[in-house]
Amino acid sequence: MKPLTEMAQSSQIFRNVPRMDVLDLISKGSVKEAERGASIHLQGERAHSLFIVLEGWVKLYRMSSCGNEAVVGVLSNGDCFGEAAAVPGEVFSTGAEAVAASKLLQIDAQDLWHAIDSDPVLCRAFLGATLSDNRALVHQLGQLKSHTAAQRIADFLLSLCKDEVGECIVVLPYDKVLIAGWLGMKPESLSRAFRRLEPYGVKIRKDRALIQSVERLLAFADEDPSKSWSEKAWKTS
Amino acid sequence: MKPLTEMAQSSQIFRNVPRMDVLDLISKGSVKEAERGASIHLQGERAHSLFIVLEGWVKLYRMSSCGNEAVVGVLSNGDCFGEAAAVPGEVFSTGAEAVAASKLLQIDAQDLWHAIDSDPVLCRAFLGATLSDNRALVHQLGQLKSHTAAQRIADFLLSLCKDEVGECIVVLPYDKVLIAGWLGMKPESLSRAFRRLEPYGVKIRKDRALIQSVERLLAFADEDPSKSWSEKAWKTS
DNA sequence: CGGGCCCTTGACGTTAGTCAAAGAGCGTGG
DNA sequence: CCACGCTCTTTGACTAACGTCAAGGGCCCG
């Protein structure tokens, strides 16, 4: 139980909250194990709990009525989801599913309300976490609306090798079906888009991406999609 | 100044907050007038203020480094933006621009912090507002990732005639360039996608949309995009 | 009347989805 | 150890969707 509290304290949401304020809340939570493929909560369901990922991977997704799934988040150690539980009467706006064997800290909504009521510091922590979610969503929206599939992959790879320069090798953290969903495309398109990154010095081997130059990739990720023709002409000559 | 406080109190964010808790905060805000095209705040700028739309229309957008703009929100009376200001040290994750002559209530970040610190009720109100933003973003992502342009328009039109049934006429609340941006497409595509809704009983005349049957449109908005061929074959025969 | 902006239309190219098939791992059981 | 079946991934051919470029019409306002 010791490593559990440490993990939860260093999580995204509680990172900047004094130890004392969170201990009580965390101690009321329970650890839930979820195997790959297990559903954690459903879209539209009453937001009964807050979750913190202690270990593993969780995807947040939106199901359209025709059965089409859109991944809106992929979370790992220290990430937090189900913030809707902080507000009485809310429902989950996404579904959540473990995409790898995972350990979660589950905190009951009522305990949460009580904690928030009695401790303003916690409330602000939630506000911060939700704003952070917001930023992530806005970023994703921006990517989706004004970048090609290949550029979104570039952005994704770059997010995996933050602060690196020059050459670097990154490990793809989950399978390509999920990466495709997360980036808003089909697996086939992902596969092809990886190919299109080769001219920019990116090679994929199994679950590893070899990036020749982070700078070059960055330039590609930011460039205007509408001038692909001129780029291409310039490049194939 | 009287109608101002009323408007602000009935805004999205303060709607469920007791009058007393907000009066003080609102009184510290200042009214800002913005004409069409005026920039309200920039992406990346320190989040110095919270804004509440009293009148007019505001768009939130994300600018990619290549100058491509993605609209991530379109706000009107009672809507609130710049919640990032509630957390010290935050920056705006989007830009904001008036797309029509607008009146805004601008509340300084420091006043906000003070108010939140001294009143937990307000803090929870912000949490609720941010969660609400979150839901909207998630909805938009879902639409973008798993629906065609025509379906997104259908969803948009339906959001304008909530709770209506059968035939109905809605007024497009802003110009088509902005609608296109908001729905993640180019104006040309919007124009063509409107045509594609005609078989489903939608006609556009100037800034009005005539919907023959809300139910039929709803069915179209939710249907699986991948079976368009069979639908089409079935329809043109 | 003229200029500017918004909107539409047409022709065309690129991008990504669909359908189908085959290759690459990988664990299981013989 | 190998054959088998499974899932993940890649590839190919084709199609649909959307963006781009260019032109033209309608409308407002000076």
Side-chain angles (χ1 to χ4, degrees):
Chain A
M1 273 295 161
K2 252 300 156 45
L4 160 73
T5 55
E6 273 173 36
M7 179 65 101
Q9 273 171 15
S10 65
S11 67
Q12 171 72 27
I13 188 167
F14 293 139
R15 192 165 299 157
N16 298 314
V17 177
R19 198 169 299 269
M20 282 183 44
D21 296 81
V22 292
L23 272 182
D24 184 50
L25 181 57
I26 289 177
S27 70
K28 283 193 187 127
S30 61
V31 176
K32 172 170 181 160
E33 313 243 352
E35 29 183 277
R36 180 187 161 96
S39 173
I40 298 163
H41 65 65
L42 296 174
Q43 175 180 337
E45 187 182 9
R46 192 182 58 84
H48 51 76
S49 306
L50 172 83
F51 297 90
I52 295 171
V53 182
L54 301 173
E55 202 184 296
W57 289 93
V58 171
K59 80 170 171 198
L60 304 180
Y61 61 93
R62 201 129 217 278
M63 212 71 169
S64 70
S65 44
C66 55
N68 223 326
E69 160 181 312
V71 178
V72 297
V74 180
L75 309 177
S76 178
N77 295 14
D79 292 329
C80 161
F81 63 100
E83 287 99 332
V87 175
E90 281 290 320
V91 297
F92 292 123
S93 58
T94 68
E97 179 187 314
V99 290
S102 305
K103 248 183 237 172
L104 309 171
L105 180 65
Q106 177 168 13
I107 298 173
D108 192 80
Q110 261 139 20
D111 294 334
L112 208 56
W113 303 338
H114 181 261
I116 288 177
D117 278 348
S118 60
D119 189 348
V121 175
L122 274 178
C123 188
R124 277 197 303 253
F126 275 91
L127 187 49
T130 311
L131 274 168
S132 166
D133 281 4
N134 238 306
R135 260 202 311 279
L137 291 169
V138 161
H139 176 257
Q140 211 188 338
L141 223 28
Q143 285 288 320
L144 218 47
K145 281 189 176 177
S146 48
H147 293 291
T148 66
Q151 288 179 306
R152 298 199 298 273
I153 295 179
D155 183 70
F156 175 73
L157 292 178
L158 289 166
S159 76
L160 294 175
C161 58
K162 270 221 154 74
D163 306 328
E164 300 267 347
V165 289
E167 203 174 38
C168 104
I169 299 178
V170 301
V171 176
L172 304 180
Y174 32 83
D175 70 31
K176 299 189 183 173
V177 175
L178 182 55
I179 297 177
W182 168 235
L183 298 177
M185 67 190 89
K186 302 291 167 195
E188 296 96 319
S189 295
L190 179 75
S191 190
R192 284 189 252 267
F194 269 137
R195 292 276 100 71
R196 303 171 125 228
L197 286 180
E198 281 179 5
Y200 296 92
V202 176
K203 281 221 168 45
I204 306 296
R205 268 214 322 265
K206 302 199 49 169
D207 63 341
R208 254 148 245 264
L210 302 100
I211 301 167
Q212 269 175 33
S213 159
V214 169
E215 294 75 13
R216 186 139 61 113
L217 194 55
L218 198 59
F220 169 73
D222 284 348
E223 98 192 358
D224 191 342
S226 74
K227 58 179 187 187
S228 56
W229 56 274
S230 61
E231 282 296 316
K232 216 169 176 177
W234 178 81
K235 178 157 293 296
T236 53
S237 65
Chain B
M1 273 298 160
K2 253 299 158 43
L4 160 74
T5 56
E6 274 172 35
M7 179 64 101
Q9 272 170 16
S10 65
S11 67
Q12 170 73 26
I13 188 166
F14 294 138
R15 192 166 298 156
N16 298 317
V17 177
R19 197 169 302 268
M20 282 183 42
D21 296 80
V22 292
L23 272 183
D24 183 50
L25 181 57
I26 290 177
S27 69
K28 285 196 186 122
S30 62
V31 176
K32 171 169 181 159
E33 314 242 352
E35 28 183 276
R36 181 186 160 97
S39 172
I40 297 163
H41 65 64
L42 296 174
Q43 173 180 337
E45 188 181 9
R46 193 182 59 85
H48 52 75
S49 305
L50 172 84
F51 297 89
I52 295 171
V53 182
L54 301 173
E55 202 183 297
W57 289 93
V58 171
K59 80 171 170 197
L60 304 181
Y61 62 93
R62 200 125 216 278
M63 212 70 169
S64 70
S65 43
C66 57
N68 223 328
E69 161 182 310
V71 178
V72 296
V74 180
L75 310 177
S76 179
N77 296 14
D79 292 328
C80 161
F81 63 99
E83 288 101 331
V87 175
E90 281 290 319
V91 296
F92 292 124
S93 58
T94 68
E97 179 187 314
V99 291
S102 306
K103 247 183 238 172
L104 310 171
L105 180 65
Q106 176 167 12
I107 297 174
D108 192 80
Q110 261 138 21
D111 294 335
L112 208 57
W113 304 337
H114 181 259
I116 289 177
D117 277 349
S118 61
D119 189 348
V121 174
L122 274 179
C123 188
R124 275 197 303 253
F126 275 91
L127 187 50
T130 310
L131 274 168
S132 166
D133 281 5
N134 237 308
R135 260 201 312 279
L137 290 169
V138 162
H139 177 258
Q140 211 189 337
L141 268 176
Q143 285 288 320
L144 217 47
K145 281 189 176 178
S146 49
H147 294 291
T148 67
Q151 287 179 306
R152 298 199 299 271
I153 295 178
D155 182 70
F156 175 73
L157 292 177
L158 289 166
S159 74
L160 295 175
C161 58
K162 271 226 151 73
D163 306 327
E164 300 267 347
V165 289
E167 202 174 39
C168 105
I169 299 179
V170 299
V171 176
L172 303 181
Y174 32 83
D175 69 30
K176 299 191 183 172
V177 175
L178 182 56
I179 297 177
W182 168 234
L183 297 177
M185 67 191 87
K186 301 291 165 193
E188 296 96 320
S189 295
L190 179 74
S191 191
R192 284 189 253 263
F194 270 136
R195 292 278 100 72
R196 305 173 119 226
L197 288 180
E198 280 177 5
Y200 297 92
V202 176
K203 279 220 169 46
I204 305 297
R205 269 216 318 266
K206 301 198 50 167
D207 63 339
R208 253 148 248 266
L210 303 99
I211 301 168
Q212 270 176 33
S213 159
V214 169
E215 293 76 12
R216 185 139 59 112
L217 194 56
L218 197 59
F220 169 72
D222 282 348
E223 102 191 355
D224 191 341
S226 73
K227 59 180 187 188
S228 56
W229 56 273
S230 61
E231 282 295 315
K232 216 169 176 179
W234 177 82
K235 177 157 294 294
T236 53
S237 66

